[in-house]
Amino acid sequence: MVNVNTINEERLFRMLSKSSETGTIPGNGLSRLALSDQDQEMRNIYKEWCEEAGLMLRIDDLGNMYARRAGKNNLPPVVVGSHLDTQPAGGRFDGILGVLLALEVVQTLNDNGIETERPLEIVNFTNEEGARFEPPMLGSGGIAGVFDQAYVYSRKDADGFSFLEELERIGYKGEAGNRLGDFHSFLELHIEQGPILEDEDKQIGVVEGVQGINWLEVTLKGEADHAGPTPMHLRKDALMAAAEIMNQLEKNIATTDITVTVGKISVSPNSVNCVPGEAHFTVDIRSANDKLRKEAFEETKKTIRRVSEDREVGVEMTELWETEKIDFDSNITEVIENSATELGYSSKRILSGAGHDAKYVNNLGPTAMIFVPSVNGKSHVPSELTLDRDIVSGANTLYHTVLTLSKE
Amino acid sequence: MVNVNTINEERLFRMLSKSSETGTIPGNGLSRLALSDQDQEMRNIYKEWCEEAGLMLRIDDLGNMYARRAGKNNLPPVVVGSHLDTQPAGGRFDGILGVLLALEVVQTLNDNGIETERPLEIVNFTNEEGARFEPPMLGSGGIAGVFDQAYVYSRKDADGFSFLEELERIGYKGEAGNRLGDFHSFLELHIEQGPILEDEDKQIGVVEGVQGINWLEVTLKGEADHAGPTPMHLRKDALMAAAEIMNQLEKNIATTDITVTVGKISVSPNSVNCVPGEAHFTVDIRSANDKLRKEAFEETKKTIRRVSEDREVGVEMTELWETEKIDFDSNITEVIENSATELGYSSKRILSGAGHDAKYVNNLGPTAMIFVPSVNGKSHVPSELTLDRDIVSGANTLYHTVLTLSKE
């Protein structure tokens, strides 16, 4: 039975290697922003693979790609997937593993001539990263009713191109009728993007839920002055105000239960000898505890207002995004845990710190995730790495979880 | 004698108005970066005006434009000038007044049929602002021996275009033999760019010297991580380190005698949900007291190193530019002061906080500056303003100073 029980490593790493050649950047990384030429190229390759595997491909109005394998019975399918887009200087595994390992599961079923009771669908969601079109997870959020079509279509990148324009340009605008239908269960395999599995030497993370997140965009409006003749006490320096805010958020808001990240910043006029008249930055707040997170978010806004008032600097805040902590399906997490155990892999129940497509799909039906370890906990960087042996453990766990769920 | 004593206001404001139409941006500002298409257009217009005024034009190897009016005797000339380039979102007066008022002085001499004892030269220096090609004052610094030709030519803008490429492209590369020769005196009229003349209700600033300046470029190298799963204590956040540095510089280095400005900042990867792995920023330190400034500069570098070490963040510092406090020629400042007094204008002796072409020209011979008030002390912004009446006072003071100096 050994050949039934494991995926084909050689084929899997050939697919991963091909993916790593599409949008390559120095340092082994990928730059495959959603709906870019690189995303288009990867979608075309993936589409071909799906067709070669005998899957029926369909594309919905948001560019989400579904590939279906029929089951013995026309029941709601087991659905497996993630995303093929990356950060601007991202890695080769984030999201990609979840799509390509799903395809490998299908191919292993084909190899072994297994006809599952339920149909199987594998999915590539559009713009999970949110690096090109904010907010993230527009594809999965769109089908889950979090964002309506008009909102998704209207999102613009930094150069002013809209989601809709770019979706049409790369030829991946399908029909709203093709969206994900009723399903039995949804599974997403993903890299951990954190240090916990590696630290505790576990092979499989059984993901029980996702942290809550707030995103805030802040603009401070001071006064631009020449750096030379303007004495310090007469300045309204927007960047010095931003620096004080960042310091206070780090000192007073962040805790062991709350992370606070200022990931983007820019100033205007951005010249060595000009006092910055404007500063723009983002704040990302996360916690496994919604109550603590909401309090931290309110305190963050208070801090920003207080520092701005003290410095007589104007302030505009836009709440870009909020998502509550969510709990995944306990039946699926149990199946994942049992599959890992049966295969002889060590596992740990864990909470996701990052947002994932599974988070929104969870609104539609029973959902859970499988994590594989990230070397040094790194992700969203070219050096992002999951070891081959961990990829194989993940793929086999996914395969056996699908086998079990598709019998239900 | 009244017609001999004053410049032609109507002609002067016509020239200023034409300049304000070249590189216009919203809010009444100008974007006329050195060696850009807009700079080329303005140079062409200015060249035509110089030729119409009967001046002999020559251009040196750095693109500095000299227009000469013969004198009764072939003695070293009185030289008057400034620059026509602006900041990316600059005003209509900074530098521009110094060039166009010099041309108006020549035209008034022509109107009145005055042949001066000494020749007169008016100058437009290249890239005073340093906003496109750093450091500032490449044209005047180049002829003063502060920068050699190869260095000036090799400077690159943010898009990778070199000074030499762009100088050739706009057709303003002349001969090194055309550089400014021996001169009797150099005069630069400029807006104050600070609040002092306006506050004290003075019409003319008699500029006795220029503050010393240090520019430092800093790169902090932490570790890029996903914002979600990385706990605060495991982060090496380059931007949080930069924020702490900025706070400490503001609190501990800046005083009433020392200004500290962080004018430029950027982070990488610059994504809402990524902990910044790198932060780049500049520090500008100025003082009228060289000893205090040098101490502040050393303390600044120590602060940057200490914070980086505490946070285990790598640091690279590049000293972009240093210039000592300089003193202008006391004979010329006396002539300026007397001219203002004779014309009935109030005046005040003042020190410049900003760098100017006159600062480098001072290396070559007797030099001084005339300041006119800046409304609210603002410059390097579209709303930069000097009132018409103050422009006229400045032009007449310049005219009479030239008349006196050209007799010496």
Side-chain angles (χ1 to χ4, degrees):
Chain A
M1 286 283 285
V2 146
N3 64 333
V4 180
N5 282 329
T6 57
I7 54 86
N8 182 330
E9 297 183 21
E10 195 195 320
R11 179 175 52 207
L12 171 56
F13 288 112
R14 208 163 50 230
M15 285 197 291
L16 274 169
S17 164
K18 182 75 186 166
S19 161
S20 303
E21 290 162 11
T22 308
T24 312
I25 56 169
N28 255 339
L30 287 179
S31 179
R32 205 154 71 198
L33 292 171
L35 311 185
S36 65
D37 291 350
Q38 293 74 30
D39 187 18
Q40 179 187 40
E41 191 185 336
M42 186 65 228
R43 284 168 177 258
N44 291 345
I45 293 166
Y46 172 68
K47 186 179 164 190
E48 211 178 293
W49 287 340
C50 288
E51 286 164 355
E52 282 167 13
L55 300 176
M56 277 288 295
L57 196 84
R58 67 178 200 275
I59 296 159
D60 73 14
D61 56 322
L62 307 177
N64 298 316
M65 300 169 72
Y66 310 90
R68 185 178 172 101
R69 187 177 189 268
K72 283 184 196 161
N73 310 295
N74 194 18
L75 295 166
V78 173
V79 184
V80 192
S82 191
H83 60 93
L84 292 168
D85 69 322
T86 78
Q87 287 283 320
R92 293 165 290 150
F93 305 98
D94 178 346
I96 297 161
L97 279 189
V99 178
L100 299 188
L101 268 55
L103 180 54
E104 177 52 35
V105 163
V106 165
Q107 287 171 315
T108 303
L109 290 171
N110 290 350
D111 290 348
N112 295 299
I114 298 173
E115 193 179 5
T116 53
E117 298 294 323
R118 291 181 177 274
L120 196 61
E121 285 192 6
I122 65 176
V123 191
N124 169 37
F125 288 114
T126 303
N127 192 65
E128 192 275 346
E129 292 293 356
R132 182 170 182 200
F133 300 99
E134 290 175 3
M137 296 175 259
L138 283 174
S140 51
I143 62 164
V146 179
F147 314 119
D148 65 25
Q149 190 198 58
Y151 177 81
V152 175
Y153 281 174
S154 70
R155 305 315 297 159
K156 289 203 166 124
D157 72 4
D159 296 322
F161 294 105
S162 76
F163 184 101
L164 177 59
E165 282 171 318
E166 288 294 281
L167 183 63
E168 286 177 334
R169 185 184 68 82
I170 69 161
Y172 276 89
K173 182 168 175 273
E175 300 298 322
N178 285 339
R179 290 185 178 196
L180 184 64
D182 283 347
F183 57 87
H184 168 267
S185 46
F186 178 79
L187 274 173
E188 180 174 7
L189 180 142
H190 205 279
I191 58 170
E192 182 196 345
Q193 307 183 262
I196 298 168
L197 293 177
E198 186 184 58
D199 277 7
E200 302 195 12
D201 202 19
K202 302 290 185 190
Q203 290 164 283
I204 297 293
V206 180
V207 189
E208 297 187 298
V210 185
Q211 290 186 357
I213 307 177
N214 286 90
W215 277 12
L216 185 68
E217 191 173 62
V218 184
T219 297
L220 301 179
K221 295 192 175 183
E223 284 186 19
D225 281 302
H226 190 288
T230 315
M232 297 306 287
H233 71 281
L234 291 180
R235 296 181 178 199
K236 290 176 184 170
D237 185 328
L239 178 56
M240 284 296 181
E244 186 178 342
I245 288 166
M246 287 188 266
N247 264 236
Q248 293 201 12
L249 297 185
E250 190 189 39
K251 274 183 206 154
N252 306 329
I253 309 291
T255 66
T256 48
D257 296 317
I258 310 263
T259 60
V260 180
T261 308
V262 176
K264 286 177 84 168
I265 190 165
S266 64
V267 296
S268 160
N270 202 36
S271 190
V272 189
N273 55 353
C274 284
V275 176
E278 284 196 21
H280 310 270
F281 60 95
T282 56
V283 185
D284 172 305
I285 296 175
R286 299 183 193 218
S287 177
N289 182 321
D290 278 343
K291 185 167 166 289
L292 290 180
R293 175 179 54 77
K294 284 172 194 292
E295 284 167 9
F297 186 56
E298 291 310 313
E299 276 308 310
T300 294
K301 290 185 284 184
K302 269 188 210 163
T303 300
I304 292 167
R305 274 189 220 103
R306 190 176 53 239
V307 171
S308 306
E309 272 168 32
D310 286 354
R311 289 173 173 263
E312 296 176 55
V313 159
V315 62
E316 286 169 16
M317 288 190 267
T318 309
E319 299 185 14
L320 289 179
W321 192 42
E322 171 163 20
T323 160
E324 310 284 305
K325 190 240 175 183
I326 66 129
D327 296 304
F328 286 142
D329 183 79
S330 59
N331 171 50
I332 306 181
T333 50
E334 211 178 298
V335 175
I336 295 168
E337 197 168 45
N338 291 341
S339 300
T341 305
E342 283 165 21
L343 288 158
Y345 303 139
S346 57
S347 70
K348 179 184 167 66
R349 289 186 169 256
I350 194 171
L351 209 63
S352 173
H356 295 291
D357 291 311
K359 176 166 178 164
Y360 286 149
V361 177
N362 188 62
N363 292 0
L364 300 171
T367 295
M369 292 185 75
I370 299 171
F371 273 177
V372 289
S374 295
V375 171
N376 293 321
K378 296 287 165 216
S379 68
H380 288 190
V381 288
S383 61
E384 170 183 297
L385 182 64
T386 293
L387 299 178
D388 287 358
R389 62 164 196 254
D390 291 326
I391 292 173
V392 171
S393 311
N396 284 323
T397 304
L398 184 68
Y399 177 49
H400 283 259
T401 303
V402 168
L403 279 176
T404 305
L405 291 173
S406 64
K407 281 179 200 148
E408 285 186 356
Chain B
M1 285 283 286
V2 147
N3 62 335
V4 181
N5 282 328
T6 55
I7 54 88
N8 182 329
E9 298 183 21
E10 194 196 320
R11 178 175 53 208
L12 172 56
F13 289 112
R14 209 162 52 226
M15 286 197 291
L16 275 169
S17 161
K18 183 74 187 168
S19 160
S20 304
E21 289 162 11
T22 309
T24 312
I25 55 170
N28 254 337
L30 286 179
S31 180
R32 204 156 70 201
L33 291 170
L35 310 184
S36 65
D37 291 350
Q38 292 74 30
D39 187 17
Q40 178 186 39
E41 190 185 337
M42 187 64 228
R43 282 168 178 258
N44 291 345
I45 293 166
Y46 173 67
K47 186 179 162 188
E48 209 179 294
W49 285 341
C50 287
E51 287 164 354
E52 282 169 11
L55 300 175
M56 278 287 295
L57 196 84
R58 69 179 199 274
I59 296 160
D60 73 16
D61 55 323
L62 307 177
N64 297 315
M65 301 170 72
Y66 309 91
R68 185 178 172 101
R69 185 177 191 268
K72 283 184 196 163
N73 310 293
N74 194 18
L75 293 166
V78 173
V79 185
V80 192
S82 190
H83 60 93
L84 292 168
D85 70 320
T86 76
Q87 288 282 321
R92 294 164 289 151
F93 305 99
D94 178 345
I96 296 160
L97 279 188
V99 178
L100 299 188
L101 268 55
L103 180 55
E104 177 52 34
V105 164
V106 166
Q107 287 171 314
T108 304
L109 289 171
N110 289 350
D111 289 349
N112 294 299
I114 296 174
E115 192 179 6
T116 53
E117 296 294 324
R118 290 179 178 275
L120 198 60
E121 286 191 7
I122 65 176
V123 191
N124 168 38
F125 288 112
T126 303
N127 193 66
E128 193 273 347
E129 293 292 356
R132 182 170 182 200
F133 301 98
E134 292 176 359
M137 296 175 260
L138 284 173
S140 51
I143 63 164
V146 179
F147 314 120
D148 65 25
Q149 191 200 56
Y151 177 82
V152 174
Y153 281 174
S154 70
R155 308 312 297 159
K156 289 199 165 126
D157 71 5
D159 296 321
F161 294 105
S162 75
F163 184 101
L164 176 59
E165 283 171 316
E166 288 293 283
L167 183 63
E168 285 177 333
R169 185 184 68 80
I170 70 161
Y172 276 89
K173 182 168 174 276
E175 301 296 322
N178 284 339
R179 289 184 179 197
L180 184 63
D182 285 346
F183 57 86
H184 169 268
S185 46
F186 177 81
L187 275 174
E188 180 174 6
L189 180 143
H190 205 280
I191 58 169
E192 180 196 347
Q193 308 184 261
I196 300 169
L197 293 176
E198 187 185 58
D199 277 7
E200 303 195 11
D201 203 18
K202 302 291 184 187
Q203 290 164 283
I204 297 293
V206 180
V207 189
E208 295 187 300
V210 184
Q211 289 186 356
I213 307 177
N214 286 89
W215 277 12
L216 184 69
E217 192 173 60
V218 184
T219 297
L220 301 179
K221 294 191 174 181
E223 285 184 21
D225 281 302
H226 191 290
T230 314
M232 297 306 286
H233 71 282
L234 291 180
R235 296 182 178 198
K236 290 176 184 170
D237 184 328
L239 178 55
M240 284 297 183
E244 186 179 342
I245 289 166
M246 288 187 267
N247 265 235
Q248 292 201 12
L249 296 185
E250 190 189 40
K251 274 182 204 153
N252 305 329
I253 309 291
T255 65
T256 48
D257 295 318
I258 310 263
T259 60
V260 180
T261 308
V262 176
K264 285 177 85 168
I265 190 164
S266 63
V267 296
S268 159
N270 203 36
S271 190
V272 188
N273 54 352
C274 284
V275 177
E278 285 196 20
H280 310 269
F281 61 95
T282 55
V283 185
D284 171 306
I285 296 174
R286 301 185 190 215
S287 177
N289 181 323
D290 277 343
K291 185 167 167 291
L292 290 180
R293 175 178 53 78
K294 283 172 196 292
E295 286 168 6
F297 187 56
E298 291 310 313
E299 278 307 311
T300 294
K301 288 185 285 183
K302 271 188 210 162
T303 300
I304 292 168
R305 275 190 218 102
R306 191 175 54 241
V307 172
S308 307
E309 273 167 33
D310 288 352
R311 289 173 173 263
E312 296 177 55
V313 159
V315 62
E316 285 170 17
M317 288 190 265
T318 308
E319 299 185 13
L320 288 179
W321 190 43
E322 172 164 17
T323 161
E324 311 283 304
K325 190 240 174 183
I326 66 129
D327 296 303
F328 285 141
D329 184 80
S330 59
N331 171 49
I332 305 180
T333 47
E334 211 178 298
V335 175
I336 294 167
E337 196 169 46
N338 291 341
S339 299
T341 307
E342 282 165 21
L343 288 158
Y345 303 139
S346 56
S347 71
K348 179 185 168 64
R349 288 187 168 254
I350 195 171
L351 209 61
S352 172
H356 295 290
D357 291 311
K359 177 168 177 161
Y360 285 149
V361 176
N362 187 61
N363 292 0
L364 300 171
T367 295
M369 294 185 74
I370 300 169
F371 273 178
V372 289
S374 294
V375 171
N376 293 323
K378 297 287 169 217
S379 68
H380 288 190
V381 287
S383 60
E384 172 184 297
L385 181 64
T386 293
L387 300 177
D388 287 357
R389 61 162 197 253
D390 290 326
I391 293 172
V392 170
S393 310
N396 284 324
T397 303
L398 185 68
Y399 177 50
H400 281 259
T401 304
V402 168
L403 279 176
T404 304
L405 291 172
S406 65
K407 280 178 200 151
E408 284 187 354

